[in-house]
């Protein structure tokens, strides 16, 4: 394999502030290296020590790692615990009256929930689920608005040993049907409607459509939370109101003690082809990963007000809303709405109002906020912030700099985190008190995570050359299997032709610079082959966004009879959508800019302009749709999950 070429030129570096490092959980690079050395010496003992320190065990484990049947690894398998107990009950003796959740609704209503209150609500709902026949091992699909009740539903499933599968509230009935069917769910927990950006979106009606499709006779109960009071159809044999079933439920519920390897949840990710993949996570290993990353990467302090903007329908919302912060005993913000409603300053207003200290969001949200008002943050008091975080995809350096300067006021470190649904928690990310930061780099692996960059045969590649990002040793929070499809799990994540199936294959391309910093170059599927050069799309996107005119960019490849592939760029400008007579000049300006920033080889063959890019409601750019548009193919995929399906028409033809 020709190695993937790194073409990004980034030389800025930011040392951790002395004041931050002094109080940090890991205060310097030497402390980080000591943890890494401890893991290098005996990684099983390293993780066993962490598990004993971080987790309350009902029955302590004696076996650390069972690796007799790779890649189906088991961690701490003879121990017993309950994840909900670790998130709630553990705090009752010491901080029952501490605020666990500050909830802000779409319309601005604020509700505070203490650890005592949250524990009682979870126990009450757990008892209600049990009285409706739901038991340990049953699968429960959760299709909810982003409210406290979604967290209660997830924690209640964990408390009784049921396996939850959360489906993002923007998914269509077809997508929901596929997930209910594949999981064999016995129940669905939903709401009459959700409210986002002032709009009411039906949830219960979507559930009814999904269940009405074939092959979901497993669903015996649908629990409906009354969010808006909208008129909905109720099947008296199947559907029950949330408020009815909890009315006579006790606020005490003993936890179901489960094996460490008991599945906590499945979470479906869309594959490039075929049916969705049900990523299965264990109880103990996953919980351990969320806790250590809260301490190491988010440098958690008891006085923090933590805000992760992700929906619980995604892994980020699982790990850094429902489980990680609560396991730490943190106070966190949960927001029902969107960053632009009713004004473009909504995020900054929430930070100011609730004195948020740690703000964790996605690069797509950051770029959208730049477009909506690059100077807006200065109109708000953001002095409570001490740490910023980025998640979901690589953050381009110019967006990183804006986040650092305008939001963090050049004093808050940014933790640019690389991880996946399949890894459960951060894998490569800055430890903010210990590491100098480079805009666009996720820096170094966490202690105990043996990340590397290899070629197709599994051999390490030299610094500066790109290759496949892999993790060479098992780690506690990793995916256990794909629900009901162990063969697909092996082929996807531990392919035999990559070092005989011994390495976890992330599916991303990356490189390390001369200082050992990791740089993510994009998905392996997104690597372009232009005239024999293998180029990562993220680096071309970063170059485009570095131009003062550009707010966002997405780059894909299109077959080219001479070059192999040509570069097609989809661009959103900071100003207004360009007039026809302006397009040629702006296109030429941007092509020359890319040639200057990277080199002529990366110059886009074609640039298409749009008012925005096709994104899911979580803010993820749908690059597969852009590839189809670039090739002139008909869009046959389900586009009901898009926030803005009309944009596809605008982007269909060259500007």
């Amino acid at each position: 394999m020709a190695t993937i070429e790194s073409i990004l030129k980034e030389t800025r570096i930011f040392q951790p502030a002395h004041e931050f490092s002094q109080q940090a959980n890991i205060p310097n690079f030497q402390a980080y290296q000591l943890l890494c050395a401890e893991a290098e010496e005996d990684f099983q003992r390293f993780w066993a020590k962490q598990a004993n320190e971080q987790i309350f065990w009902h029955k302590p484990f004696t076996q650390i790692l069972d690796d007799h049947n790779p890649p189906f690894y088991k961690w701490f398998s003879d121990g017993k615990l309950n994840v909900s107990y670790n998130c709630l009950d553990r705090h009752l003796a010491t901080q029952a009256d501490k605020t666990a959740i500050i909830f802000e609704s779409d319309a601005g209503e604020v509700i505070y929930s203490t650890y005592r209150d949250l524990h009682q609500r979870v126990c009450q709902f757990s008892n209600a689920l049990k009285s409706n026949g739901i038991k340990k091992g049953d699968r429960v699909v959760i299709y909810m608005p982003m409210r406290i009740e979604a967290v209660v539903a997830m924690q209640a499933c964990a408390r009784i040993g049921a396996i939850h599968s959360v489906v993002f509230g923007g998914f269509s009935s077809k997508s929901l049907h596929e997930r209910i069917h594949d999981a064999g769910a016995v129940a669905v927990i939903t709401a009459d409607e959700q409210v986002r950006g002032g709009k009411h979106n039906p949830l219960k009606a979507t559930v009814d459509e999904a269940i009405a499709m074939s092959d979901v006779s497993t669903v015996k109960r649908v629990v409906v939370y009354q969010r808006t009071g909208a008129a909905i159809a109720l099947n008296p044999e199947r559907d029950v109101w949330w408020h009815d079933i909890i009315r006579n439920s006790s606020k005490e519920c003993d936890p179901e003690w489960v094996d460490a390897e008991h599945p906590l949840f499945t979470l479906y990710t869309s594959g490039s082809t075929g049916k969705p993949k049900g990523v299965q996570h264990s109880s103990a290993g996953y919980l351990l990963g969320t806790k250590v990353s809260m301490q190491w990467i988010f440098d958690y302090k008891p006085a923090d007000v933590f805000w992760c903007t992700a929906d619980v329908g995604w892994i980020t919302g699982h790990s850094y809303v429902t489980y990680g912060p609560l396991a730490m005993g943190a106070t966190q913000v949960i927001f029902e709405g969107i960053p632009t409603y009713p004004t473009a300053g909504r995020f900054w207003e929430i930070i100011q109002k609730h004195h948020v200290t740690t703000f964790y969001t996605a690069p797509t949200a950051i770029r959208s906020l730049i477009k909506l008002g690059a100077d807006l943050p200065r109109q708000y008091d953001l002095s409570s912030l001490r740490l910023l975080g980025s998640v979901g995809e690589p953050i381009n350096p110019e967006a990183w700099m804006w986040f650092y300067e305008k939001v963090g006021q050049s004093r808050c470190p940014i933790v640019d985190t690389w991880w996946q649904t399949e890894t459960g928690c951060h894998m490569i990310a800055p430890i903010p008190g210990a590491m100098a930061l480079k805009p666009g780099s996720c820096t170094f692996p966490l202690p105990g995570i043996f990340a590397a960059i290899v070629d197709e045969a599994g051999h390490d590649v030299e610094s500066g050359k790109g290759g496949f990002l892999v993790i060479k040793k098992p780690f506690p929070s990793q995916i256990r299997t794909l629900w009901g499809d162990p063969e697909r799990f092996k082929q996807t994540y531990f392919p035999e032709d990559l070092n005989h199936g011994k390495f976890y294959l992330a599916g991303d391309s990356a490189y390390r610079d001369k200082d050992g910093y990791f740089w993510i170059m994009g998905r392996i599927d997104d690597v372009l082959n232009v005239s024999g050069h293998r180029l990562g799309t993220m680096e071309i996107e970063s170059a485009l966004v570095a131009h003062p005119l550009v707010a966002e960019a997405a780059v894909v490849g299109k077959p080219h009879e001479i070059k192999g592939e040509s570069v097609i760029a989809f661009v959103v400008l900071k100003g207004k959508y360009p007039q026809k007579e302006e397009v040629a000049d702006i296109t030429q300006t941007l092509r020359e800019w890319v040639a200057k920033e990277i080199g002529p080889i990366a110059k886009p063959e074609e640039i298409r302009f749009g008012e925005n890019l096709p994104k899911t409601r979580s803010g993820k750019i749908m690059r597969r749709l852009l590839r189809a548009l670039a090739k002139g193919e008909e869009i046959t995929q389900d586009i009901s999950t898009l926030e803005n399906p009309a944009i596809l028409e605008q982007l269909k033809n060259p500007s």
Side-chain angles (χ1 to χ4, degrees), residues 1-243:
M1 179 192 83
T3 53
I4 302 162
E5 295 182 36
S6 168
I7 47 181
L8 187 68
K9 297 163 187 168
E10 180 54 59
T11 56
R12 290 168 290 196
I13 191 160
F14 297 85
Q15 298 293 338
H18 178 67
E19 299 77 21
F20 191 100
S21 294
Q22 270 192 318
Q23 56 76 53
N25 294 336
I26 299 178
N28 52 54
F29 199 66
Q30 290 70 33
Y32 161 73
Q33 288 176 311
L34 280 172
L35 283 169
C36 291
E38 187 185 334
E40 283 272 3
E41 186 180 339
D42 187 336
F43 81 105
Q44 290 194 37
R45 191 172 65 182
F46 172 83
W47 283 118
K49 178 185 172 189
Q50 297 298 328
N52 279 317
E53 289 175 356
Q54 301 285 357
I55 293 174
F56 172 82
W57 294 93
H58 179 67
K59 176 185 171 237
F61 62 90
T62 61
Q63 184 174 18
I64 304 171
L65 172 64
D66 178 353
D67 56 1
H68 291 103
N69 183 27
F72 300 96
Y73 300 109
K74 296 177 181 179
W75 285 88
F76 325 120
S77 55
D78 61 343
K80 283 187 182 292
L81 77 161
N82 181 276
V83 171
S84 176
Y85 183 96
N86 273 272
C87 291
L88 301 173
D89 305 57
R90 285 187 82 179
H91 308 307
L92 296 182
T94 55
Q95 51 175 35
D97 295 321
K98 181 178 181 178
T99 300
I101 294 172
I102 303 167
F103 169 74
E104 182 161 328
S105 75
D106 189 67
E109 174 196 13
V110 176
I111 298 170
Y112 296 90
S113 181
T114 64
Y115 273 92
R116 178 184 284 109
D117 169 61
L118 192 59
H119 176 261
Q120 289 178 349
R121 292 176 69 170
V122 168
C123 286
Q124 197 173 35
F125 195 60
S126 298
N127 287 323
L129 292 179
K130 290 199 288 186
S131 68
N132 277 269
I134 297 164
K135 60 189 185 302
K136 176 183 172 182
D138 284 345
R139 275 81 64 207
V140 177
V141 164
I142 298 173
Y143 186 66
M144 290 283 287
M146 187 60 183
R147 294 180 68 87
I148 295 175
E149 287 75 16
V151 173
V152 168
M154 294 167 76
Q155 286 280 348
C157 287
R159 193 166 194 84
I160 67 173
I163 303 164
H164 65 66
S165 185
V166 185
V167 179
F168 175 60
F171 275 131
S172 66
S173 56
K174 179 176 179 292
S175 298
L176 180 60
H177 163 79
E178 288 173 344
R179 287 154 174 79
I180 293 171
H181 173 55
D182 192 70
V186 302
V188 179
I189 302 170
T190 189
D192 50 4
E193 294 183 314
Q194 66 173 346
V195 184
R196 296 179 81 251
K199 296 175 184 170
H200 290 222
N201 303 311
L203 294 184
K204 173 60 164 61
T206 305
V207 171
D208 290 342
E209 285 176 27
I211 293 175
M213 296 177 187
S214 59
D215 302 325
V216 288
S217 56
T218 54
V219 177
K220 306 300 182 194
R221 188 63 78 224
V222 175
V223 180
V224 188
Y225 168 68
Q226 193 171 40
R227 165 63 182 92
T228 64
I232 60 168
L234 281 180
N235 177 340
E237 294 181 0
R238 185 196 68 196
D239 303 345
V240 291
W241 286 109
W242 179 304
H243 56 264

Side-chain angles (χ1 to χ4, degrees), residues 444-505:
F444 297 96
L446 275 65
I449 302 301
F450 295 86
I453 297 157
V454 301
D455 61 20
E456 283 173 328
H459 301 127
D460 289 348
V461 300
E462 60 186 284
S463 293
K465 295 291 186 185
F468 298 157
L469 181 56
V470 299
I471 301 174
K472 291 186 171 183
K473 290 184 181 180
F475 52 96
S477 68
Q478 75 188 58
I479 178 176
R480 292 308 193 253
T481 188
L482 290 173
W483 182 261
D485 203 344
E487 271 310 306
R488 188 181 182 192
F489 163 69
K490 285 171 69 174
Q491 290 165 14
T492 304
Y493 302 108
F494 294 89
E496 265 297 319
D497 55 359
L498 187 68
N499 201 39
H500 310 292
K502 291 178 182 173
F503 294 167
Y504 169 80
L505 178 66

